[in-house]
Amino acid sequence: MYNKRLVIVNKFRFVTFLLVLILLFALLLNNLLSVVVASNTDSEYKQIHVKEGDTIWDIAKLNNPEGDDVREVVYKIKKINNISNEWIEAGDILKIPRN
């Protein structure tokens, strides 16, 4: 039987190789997890197409079947959609939290 031992000739290259390998594995794992998280978060929201004359307050009232405080629903809508004020335009698509 032929037994051959592996000898590390250059420790720096070996450690660099291991670090690159670990980094690639971490990036791959991160991408896989972000796809799973993104698919889960999309199911937590429904999309509303803003029509002429719609306001965030009206949309919050219509999409509040549990009777929560409308101010909290408006806050959630603004936070989810990264809106800093109440101005929305016709044609915008808003994510609304599902209850």
Side-chain angles (χ1 to χ4, degrees):
M1 296 225 190
Y2 183 68
N3 290 333
K4 185 176 181 181
R5 284 185 55 180
L6 295 175
V7 178
I8 300 172
V9 177
N10 188 337
K11 287 185 182 181
F12 177 75
R13 282 182 23 188
F14 180 73
V15 169
T16 304
F17 170 75
L18 286 179
L19 289 175
V20 169
L21 193 64
I22 291 170
L23 180 64
L24 288 175
F25 180 73
L27 288 173
L28 177 67
L29 186 63
N30 183 31
N31 287 338
L32 290 174
L33 290 177
S34 66
V35 168
V36 170
V37 170
S39 65
N40 288 341
T41 56
D42 287 343
S43 65
E44 295 175 9
Y45 304 110
K46 60 183 173 181
Q47 292 186 346
I48 300 290
H49 295 274
V50 178
K51 299 176 192 135
E52 189 69 35
D54 282 347
T55 65
I56 293 179
W57 289 88
D58 294 336
I59 293 171
K61 287 177 190 174
L62 292 174
N63 294 284
N64 187 12
E66 295 181 3
D68 294 336
D69 188 1
V70 178
R71 294 173 292 185
E72 291 178 17
V73 178
V74 169
Y75 173 77
K76 288 178 186 177
I77 292 172
K78 288 171 64 174
K79 185 175 179 181
I80 292 167
N81 293 287
N82 295 324
I83 299 173
S84 59
N85 53 31
E86 273 89 36
W87 297 107
I88 55 174
E89 297 179 4
D92 288 345
I93 298 175
L94 298 178
K95 288 183 182 178
I96 308 296
R98 293 185 189 268
N99 291 331

